[in-house]
Amino acid sequence: MNNSGIPEKTGIMVCGHGSRNQNAAREFATVAEGLKARYPDVPVEYGYLEFCNPVISEGLDRLRAKGVTRVLAVPGMLFAAGHAKNDIPSVLNTYQAQNKGTVINYGRELGIDLKMIRAAGARIQEALDTANQEQGEVALHDTLLMVVGRGSSDPDANSNVSKVMRMLWEGFGFGWGETCYSGVTFPLVGPGLSHAAKLGYKRIIVFPYFLFTGVLVKRIYSETDAVAANHPEIQFIKASYLSDHPLVLDTFQDRVQEILEGQALMNCQMCKYREQVLGFEAEVGLPQESHHHHVEGIGGGLENCPCNGDCDASCRDEDFCKAHGLPWTPVHSHASPAPLTPVHDHSHDHDHPHDHEHEHGHGHGHDHHHDHGHDHGHGHDHPHAHDHDHGHSHDHHHHPYPHADHPHGPRSMEKKKS
């Protein structure tokens, strides 16, 4: 046992989604750095599902190289949707199956947490203070709060964004509160803000409930500008995303401690893979598989680009660079931490057992065996038609979202033409 109360040969792995925006990758890395500062005598690594290096398996390799035999894996996700429930556990399952002697205990997402709410409140207050100083005060009762979530095909995760909004709305005492999403579900940012603009409030504060910057946050702000241009009578304020606020790091630390104490309980009561959620009944028992193999590591690590990392990676496309007179270097020749190798090959026979018994009696039926405590009891043994041939159409055979034709979504925001 070391000074942090963590057993010897135990390491911490922070598992992120990844972004084409390299500044987002840099910001995510600060979480691992923040945890290293809090656990100075414990190996801490991080990795991504897609678009960035290091990939998750590489972070795990680094822990093993340091003598780690037990990994406390924390998903760097705000809410538990497909990435936290399926993709990350699938990658961890595969790694554990291929590396005997390594035990991976999987934690839960950041979730609805009072520390996260306070961190969000701090970002909103910062934006209000700046606006009051630069543009004059507007009463809270004349202000509408718009919280923007990432958006998911998981209604439980989407509803959590609404709960965050409600707690912030009541906490501040705003005149009104609304929720919208960057993609996948509805309403999208444009329709959501256009609707909010009709409600008669003098000020609308737009708060992206995101951990880090990235392509979507930039588009949220761009969409805000577009709606604001149509409503000059309303003051639109753009609050910052969460970033590495100390309370966010506190929450990550809490998730690590929950794993150690066997309390990492994921909420399954509203999980569409386990229960009959209205409108999503056909998804009960779907296999726990990752759909991100083909984009694992694509986009590179923290390489330099003409945009100083603040872009969607278009500048790393040869045709784009030639068309814009920019220098171009193939991604593979950039100073990436490691070769861009997937966790396992693209043959996709997926016969590895999905059982990591998550150390928290999760009863969720994806039978996860990494001692992960939530056994996602959803009996995933029916065929998943996972034979996408990697000619790279990659529709992944995701189950169809029941509201794909909704007039206010869920097609994701498109890049604004400058």
Side-chain angles (χ1 to χ4, degrees), residues 320-333:
F320 179 94
C321 288
K322 287 179 178 177
H324 292 79
L326 297 171
W328 179 78
T329 309
V331 171
H332 287 72
S333 71

Side-chain angles (χ1 to χ4, degrees), residues 307-336:
C307 314
N308 295 319
D310 195 19
C311 66
D312 64 357
S314 295
C315 65
R316 287 190 294 281
D317 177 79
E318 184 174 10
D319 293 334
F320 179 94
C321 288
K322 287 179 178 177
H324 292 79
L326 297 171
W328 179 78
T329 309
V331 171
H332 287 72
S333 71
H334 282 297
S336 304

Side-chain angles (χ1 to χ4, degrees), residues 333-409:
S333 71
H334 282 297
S336 304
L340 305 181
T341 51
V343 173
H344 53 263
D345 66 25
H346 285 322
S347 63
H348 278 72
D349 58 4
H350 284 297
D351 286 334
H352 53 274
H354 293 311
D355 26 292
H356 13 298
E357 67 197 50
H358 301 338
E359 232 164 312
H360 36 274
H362 198 55
H364 206 87
H366 314 335
D367 251 4
H368 313 314
H369 225 112
H370 324 344
D371 196 21
H372 266 41
H374 44 277
D375 86 59
H376 282 307
H378 17 297
H380 288 12
D381 50 10
H382 60 292
H384 192 49
H386 207 71
D387 50 3
H388 42 282
D389 64 12
H390 290 283
H392 283 50
S393 62
H394 285 298
D395 60 7
H396 307 312
H397 300 281
H398 282 302
H399 207 274
Y401 182 57
H403 303 294
D405 60 347
H406 195 283
H408 297 309

Side-chain angles (χ1 to χ4, degrees), residues 33-292:
E33 294 302 319
L35 284 176
K36 285 179 182 177
R38 292 163 187 241
Y39 296 102
D41 47 1
V42 178
V44 179
E45 294 292 341
Y46 65 95
Y48 305 100
L49 273 174
E50 63 181 12
F51 298 128
C52 289
N53 282 323
V55 297
I56 291 173
S57 62
E58 186 183 338
L60 293 169
D61 284 343
R62 292 179 179 179
L63 289 175
R64 288 181 65 237
K66 295 174 182 176
V68 168
T69 57
R70 181 190 181 191
V71 177
L72 311 178
V74 181
M77 309 283 172
L78 288 169
F79 300 119
H83 296 316
K85 292 177 181 177
N86 295 320
D87 298 309
I88 293 175
S90 177
V91 171
L92 297 179
N93 280 335
T94 301
Y95 189 92
Q96 182 172 259
Q98 294 175 347
N99 294 276
K100 302 301 182 184
T102 298
V103 175
I104 303 176
N105 301 141
Y106 186 45
R108 70 182 177 100
E109 79 287 0
L110 296 170
I112 302 289
D113 187 287
L114 291 178
K115 290 176 182 174
M116 297 296 294
I117 299 295
R118 286 164 54 205
R123 296 301 185 219
I124 292 170
Q125 188 62 56
E126 290 166 5
L128 287 173
D129 291 343
T130 300
N132 288 339
Q133 183 177 5
E134 295 178 354
Q135 304 178 54
E137 291 203 23
V138 174
L140 291 178
H141 288 176
D142 291 324
T143 301
L144 182 147
L145 171 68
M146 176 64 78
V147 175
V148 185
R150 167 64 183 87
S152 164
S153 60
D154 190 315
D156 188 30
N158 293 333
S159 67
N160 280 335
V161 182
S162 295
K163 185 168 184 176
V164 167
M165 182 279 292
R166 180 70 199 194
M167 295 186 77
L168 291 167
W169 179 7
E170 287 198 37
F172 277 92
F174 289 117
W176 200 259
E178 294 279 345
T179 309
C180 63
Y181 303 87
S182 69
V184 185
T185 190
F186 60 90
L188 295 178
V189 178
L193 284 176
S194 295
H195 171 75
K198 298 174 183 177
L199 299 181
Y201 289 88
K202 297 178 181 178
R203 172 186 278 176
I204 294 176
I205 181 164
V206 179
F207 170 54
Y209 194 67
F210 281 61
L211 276 175
F212 309 108
T213 188
V215 174
L216 295 179
V217 170
K218 290 170 68 66
R219 291 183 189 172
I220 289 167
Y221 292 152
S222 176
E223 201 79 17
T224 300
D225 290 340
V227 176
N230 294 326
H231 297 277
E233 75 283 4
I234 301 173
Q235 184 185 116
F236 283 80
I237 299 171
K238 292 176 281 191
S240 176
Y241 48 91
L242 293 162
S243 192
D244 59 341
H245 191 283
L247 288 168
V248 172
L249 292 175
D250 287 348
T251 310
F252 271 108
Q253 188 172 3
D254 289 346
R255 297 297 171 266
V256 171
Q257 293 303 130
E258 286 175 356
I259 304 174
L260 285 171
E261 296 165 9
Q263 297 177 346
L265 300 173
M266 188 177 284
N267 172 29
C268 287
Q269 292 179 333
M270 301 284 285
C271 179
K272 68 175 182 176
Y273 299 119
R274 178 186 171 94
E275 303 293 343
Q276 295 281 326
V277 175
L278 181 65
F280 295 80
E281 293 85 353
E283 298 188 48
V284 174
L286 285 180
Q288 184 182 47
E289 296 176 343
S290 173
H291 301 294
H292 290 259

